Amino acid sequence: MSKGKEKVSNKQFRWLPPMHETMLRILAQEAHKGNKPSSTFKAGSFALVAKEITAQFGVECHPSYVENRMRTLRTMWSTIQTIRKKSGFGWDDNLKMITCDPKTYQEEVMAHRKHAEFLNKKIEMYDELAIVVGKDTATGGFSKSGVDLEHEPHNADESAEYVADNVEEDVVEKGKNTVESSTTGSGISKSRKRKHSVSNADESVLTDLSDQLKEIAVALKEINRGPVDYTALYNEVMTMMADGYSEDMLATAFDHLCENEKTARGFLAKNARLRKLWLDSFLFTQL
């Protein structure tokens, strides 16, 4: 393989995860500099990303590739927000993760198989993605998108605590009704409520992780039964064309998996992120 920069056509250019992260990081910075005056960026921002990717990864990246990649990011963002608005799904803002119970997970994946990569998994660089393709409501820091505001707490206790933390007065006025609270009593109650809230949040995270481990165990058990379904394997491999891999590359990977049943079973058991890591590693060995 030549040490020089590899010339890659638009159709052949493959966005690796580190490239994706570099693009989001730079465009988020460009947005804060005011180079995203509307729903899109100035041409110079795309040129800056292309220049940085070319320098870092030794492949020739054109601004048009970055602009095309934006379409993929918008589709990804739209899918994430669509799922978040559905009944039965929660949002963990600390982990940047869409949460759901096993039953809801199975129903959603049965109806939309590709949605699995966004469920009960941390969405990497979510804040940057919100700035780059979302609708921001602030200019400083990593701001909240319109959908984030829609998902603010609606529970009465959570809303009361949110208001109490963000006003200096001890009186919250709703219309003409004014409710007064004791400063000392309110402070003790709020402290207890916060401790209770943190405890519940920790318990919820542990429950979600336990449910995910159970799902993985069940999936592994099912995968190890009987012969490998090579038709299903082929379909799973080819869905990765949406991530920028060419059909020829994926065909080579599929042939390799067919020759190695144990590896094929492992591939089917992996989530979308781990499949990409395996595929990148395999394709690197083929160069």
Side-chain angles (χ1 to χ4, degrees):
M1 181 177 176
S2 172
K3 293 184 178 180
K5 293 180 181 178
E6 177 186 355
K7 292 187 177 181
V8 185
S9 71
N10 195 6
K11 290 184 178 179
Q12 293 176 325
F13 192 84
R14 181 157 50 92
W15 285 88
L16 300 176
M19 296 179 183
H20 170 85
E21 293 171 4
T22 298
M23 174 180 172
L24 285 176
R25 176 176 52 78
I26 294 175
L27 289 182
Q29 293 171 353
E30 286 293 290
H32 287 309
K33 292 176 182 177
N35 293 327
K36 184 189 176 187
S38 59
S39 60
T40 188
F41 287 84
K42 294 180 179 179
S45 298
F46 294 152
L48 182 63
V49 173
K51 181 179 179 181
E52 184 65 22
I53 289 177
T54 298
Q56 277 194 40
F57 301 98
V59 295
E60 188 173 346
C61 180
H62 295 291
S64 62
Y65 301 173
V66 181
E67 192 170 0
N68 289 337
R69 182 65 177 176
M70 284 289 291
R71 298 191 184 98
T72 301
L73 295 182
R74 290 191 185 99
T75 300
M76 181 189 301
W77 180 256
S78 177
T79 299
I80 292 170
Q81 304 314 320
T82 297
I83 298 172
R84 285 185 61 181
K85 290 179 181 179
K86 287 186 176 183
S87 175
F89 294 94
W91 174 252
D92 188 317
D93 197 49
N94 292 322
L95 296 176
K96 305 301 178 186
M97 181 172 74
I98 299 173
T99 60
C100 62
D101 57 45
K103 182 181 178 182
T104 304
Y105 176 93
Q106 291 173 3
E107 291 175 350
E108 182 67 17
V109 173
M110 286 287 288
H112 307 282
R113 181 164 46 83
K114 291 184 179 180
H115 288 188
E117 64 179 293
F118 302 116
L119 304 179
N120 293 331
K121 299 181 181 72
K122 180 180 179 181
I123 300 174
E124 299 294 341
M125 302 192 75
Y126 177 87
D127 288 332
E128 289 84 351
L129 187 63
I131 292 171
V132 172
V133 293
K135 295 179 180 179
D136 292 334
T137 58
T139 56
F142 285 140
S143 54
K144 292 185 178 181
S145 68
V147 174
D148 289 323
L149 294 177
E150 291 176 11
H151 284 76
E152 289 293 351
H154 294 297
N155 178 276
D157 289 339
E158 293 175 340
S159 297
E161 187 172 341
Y162 177 80
V163 172
D165 286 341
N166 287 276
V167 296
E168 295 179 357
E169 297 80 11
D170 290 320
V171 178
V172 179
E173 184 174 279
K174 293 183 178 180
K176 294 182 180 180
N177 297 322
T178 302
V179 179
E180 295 184 357
S181 61
S182 168
T183 303
T184 303
S186 174
I188 295 174
S189 175
K190 191 192 300 181
S191 176
R192 289 175 180 172
K193 191 178 296 180
R194 281 176 177 165
K195 289 180 181 178
H196 182 66
S197 175
V198 170
S199 177
N200 287 343
D202 291 342
E203 184 177 349
S204 176
V205 171
L206 289 173
T207 301
D208 287 340
L209 290 174
S210 177
D211 290 338
Q212 290 178 51
L213 289 173
K214 289 177 182 177
E215 289 176 22
I216 293 172
V218 171
L220 287 171
K221 194 174 290 184
E222 290 299 320
I223 288 172
N224 287 324
R225 289 179 182 173
V228 174
D229 185 340
Y230 289 101
T231 299
L233 176 63
Y234 176 83
N235 291 334
E236 291 295 329
V237 172
M238 288 304 165
T239 58
M240 299 180 76
M241 288 181 67
D243 297 310
Y245 299 96
S246 71
E247 186 176 16
D248 290 342
M249 290 176 178
L250 295 176
T252 300
F254 174 70
D255 290 340
H256 175 77
L257 291 171
C258 289
E259 295 171 0
N260 299 272
E261 184 174 329
K262 186 176 180 180
T263 305
R265 292 182 187 278
F267 177 87
L268 290 172
K270 288 178 170 64
N271 61 31
R273 184 180 69 84
L274 293 178
R275 287 180 181 180
K276 290 177 187 176
L277 289 175
W278 176 86
L279 185 56
D280 289 339
S281 175
F282 169 75
L283 294 174
F284 181 80
T285 64
Q286 304 300 305
L287 296 176

